[in-house]
Amino acid sequence: MNVAFHIARKITFNHQKTFSRFIIRLAIAATAVSVMAMIVTLAFVNGFQQTISQKVFSFWGNIRVQHFETDKALVAEESPIERNDTVEYILKHQPGISHFQVFATKSAVLAHKGEIEGILFKGIDAGYDSVRLKPYLTQGHWLEWNDSSYLKQIILSNNIANKLNIQLGDTLRIFFIATDGSSNTYRKLKVVGLYKTGIEEYDKLFAIGDIRLIQFINNWPANAIGGYEVFVNNYKNMNAINNDLLNELPNVWGSKTIADVYPNIFDWLNIQDVNRNVIFIVMSIVSIINLVTCLLILVLERTRMIGILKAIGAPDRLIQNIFLLYAWFISVFGIGIGLIAGVGICLLQQYTGFIHLDESNYYVSVAPVHLIAWQVVMVCVGTAIVCLLALMIPTALVKKIQPVKAIIFR
């Protein structure tokens, strides 16, 4: 029989009402709260980063490939450039790229019942992958493509529709702003869909329609586009893929990641990593301090037991192992309770959405969670290792306790 384990188990599960019993419960609670906080923090940070980045990528892809212009504003009309077989071949055969599609934008003003609103009209074609954007449609349907010169349909955001008091099925006038000094041109378009991403930069600015309308208004040839939206298999690799594209694209072409186009959103997401790290450090310190304090108190309370064990010949290593196992039982209980509580809160939020947020500030109305199994395991294992290492410090006091003085200790 393992003597250290047997004694540690006996004193850990002692049901007598002692001061140490309160200290043990306090240490277990502190460890549980720390583990729970770390698991919940990880899940919420993962959820925010995944949900919001996917919203951005769904609307604009991961990388833009278009006409290279050094001084061009990041969010503005693109200079026309003809579809290029060489560029499309590079995009098709570039490792990590899953899909690409054409787009173009045009500044315009919407007019309806005496109200006007400036927008950026995003033109797409029939080959556009609408699967990524359809989840954000709140009313209506996607553009219905036909063989006419251009579709007389438009999809607006709820934000713009509310400002102009537009309902689904209404017909509005859209005035396209000329860039060459000629008179502005307007067309009548029917509102067939309303969308809401929750990202204000999109919802207050963009409307979606047929790229052929932009080509017609700008007198572009049929194969002229604003650029390509590129989707990658793993968004974490988009910077590396973008660098490869920059080296391979013809001179008049350039590319940039969507993080370069909307740096404010991605900077905000990166700040979440800082918040996560701060919480991890604070919770680890709290857990260590509580466990070390708990073990010190337990050692002092069991001074007479230590003296008796030393008097009958028990080595210091055996007594140290007793208290290490004692504290280890406490840590395991705390980690287990924290694991159950942390995962439980995350699952409760995932299925009920009881935590609501201000969408204008956080881009989502319900706090998203995303549990990753290996991260949860690492939190538990990491906490256990850190606690075990920290608990070796107070056990050193065992060596300094003298048997005679310990036995008469009150």
Side-chain angles (χ1 to χ4, degrees), residues 192-206:
V192 297
L194 299 175
Y195 76 87
K196 180 181 180 182
T197 65
I199 299 178
E200 188 178 5
E201 285 83 348
Y202 294 169
D203 294 348
K204 71 179 182 181
L205 182 61
F206 288 101

Side-chain angles (χ1 to χ4, degrees), residues 156-209:
L156 301 178
S157 69
N158 287 354
N159 185 302
I160 296 173
N162 291 335
K163 287 181 179 179
L164 299 180
N165 194 25
I166 294 173
Q167 304 296 323
L168 188 68
D170 286 351
T171 298
L172 52 77
R173 289 183 297 170
I174 179 169
F175 293 83
F176 290 97
I177 301 173
T179 56
D180 58 1
S182 60
S183 59
N184 295 333
T185 304
Y186 83 89
R187 290 292 185 274
K188 290 184 177 181
L189 301 178
K190 181 180 179 181
V191 179
V192 297
L194 299 175
Y195 76 87
K196 180 181 180 182
T197 65
I199 299 178
E200 188 178 5
E201 285 83 348
Y202 294 169
D203 294 348
K204 71 179 182 181
L205 182 61
F206 288 101
I208 303 172

Side-chain angles (χ1 to χ4, degrees), residues 135-405:
Y136 304 114
L137 283 178
T138 58
Q139 295 183 55
H141 56 79
W142 193 248
L143 301 174
E144 297 176 328
W145 300 97
N146 55 44
D147 296 330
S148 63
S149 58
Y150 62 82
L151 289 183
K152 296 181 180 180
Q153 299 176 358
I154 190 171
I155 296 176
L156 301 178
S157 69
N158 287 354
N159 185 302
I160 296 173
N162 291 335
K163 287 181 179 179
L164 299 180
N165 194 25
I166 294 173
Q167 304 296 323
L168 188 68
D170 286 351
T171 298
L172 52 77
R173 289 183 297 170
I174 179 169
F175 293 83
F176 290 97
I177 301 173
T179 56
D180 58 1
S182 60
S183 59
N184 295 333
T185 304
Y186 83 89
R187 290 292 185 274
K188 290 184 177 181
L189 301 178
K190 181 180 179 181
V191 179
V192 297
L194 299 175
Y195 76 87
K196 180 181 180 182
T197 65
I199 299 178
E200 188 178 5
E201 285 83 348
Y202 294 169
D203 294 348
K204 71 179 182 181
L205 182 61
F206 288 101
I208 303 172
D210 193 343
I211 193 174
R212 292 175 296 182
L213 178 55
I214 295 178
Q215 293 169 341
F216 180 80
I217 295 296
N218 288 342
N219 293 316
W220 289 357
N223 64 342
I225 59 174
Y228 296 97
E229 296 174 1
V230 180
F231 293 85
V232 302
N233 294 320
N234 186 348
Y235 75 92
K236 295 181 180 179
N237 298 329
M238 66 181 180
N239 288 320
I241 295 173
N242 182 61
N243 291 333
D244 292 339
L245 288 177
L246 286 172
N247 294 327
E248 296 184 27
L249 291 171
N251 291 334
V252 295
W253 289 83
S255 67
K256 52 180 172 281
T257 66
I258 202 64
D260 295 327
V261 181
Y262 293 100
N264 56 322
I265 296 176
F266 287 89
D267 287 344
W268 180 79
L269 289 176
N270 291 333
I271 289 175
Q272 307 308 311
D273 289 333
V274 178
N275 297 337
R276 176 200 62 199
N277 295 338
V278 169
I279 292 175
F280 266 48
I281 293 171
V282 171
M283 289 297 102
S284 297
I285 293 174
V286 169
S287 179
I288 290 171
I289 291 175
N290 275 277
L291 284 171
V292 170
T293 304
C294 170
L295 190 54
L296 284 172
I297 294 173
L298 295 176
V299 169
L300 290 175
E301 189 188 49
R302 295 285 175 175
T303 300
R304 292 189 67 191
M305 184 191 79
I306 295 171
I308 294 171
L309 288 173
K310 282 193 172 187
I312 63 176
D316 290 338
R317 174 57 60 186
L318 173 65
I319 301 172
Q320 285 179 302
N321 288 340
I322 290 172
F323 285 98
L324 277 176
L325 288 169
Y326 193 178
W328 181 248
F329 287 140
I330 296 171
S331 301
V332 170
F333 272 110
I335 292 170
I337 294 171
L339 170 64
I340 295 171
V343 173
I345 290 173
C346 294
L347 293 177
L348 185 64
Q349 172 63 18
Q350 182 175 336
Y351 290 107
T352 66
F354 68 96
I355 300 177
H356 297 274
L357 300 173
D358 182 356
E359 194 168 21
S360 62
N361 293 323
Y362 295 96
Y363 306 119
V364 288
S365 58
V366 176
V369 293
H370 179 53
L371 278 170
I372 300 177
W374 69 265
Q375 290 184 343
V376 175
V377 172
M378 288 302 296
V379 166
C380 297
V381 173
T383 302
I385 293 173
V386 170
C387 290
L388 183 61
L389 293 175
L391 289 170
M392 295 178 71
I393 300 172
T395 58
L397 291 174
V398 171
K399 296 181 179 179
K400 298 182 179 181
I401 296 177
Q402 298 178 5
V404 174
K405 291 182 178 180

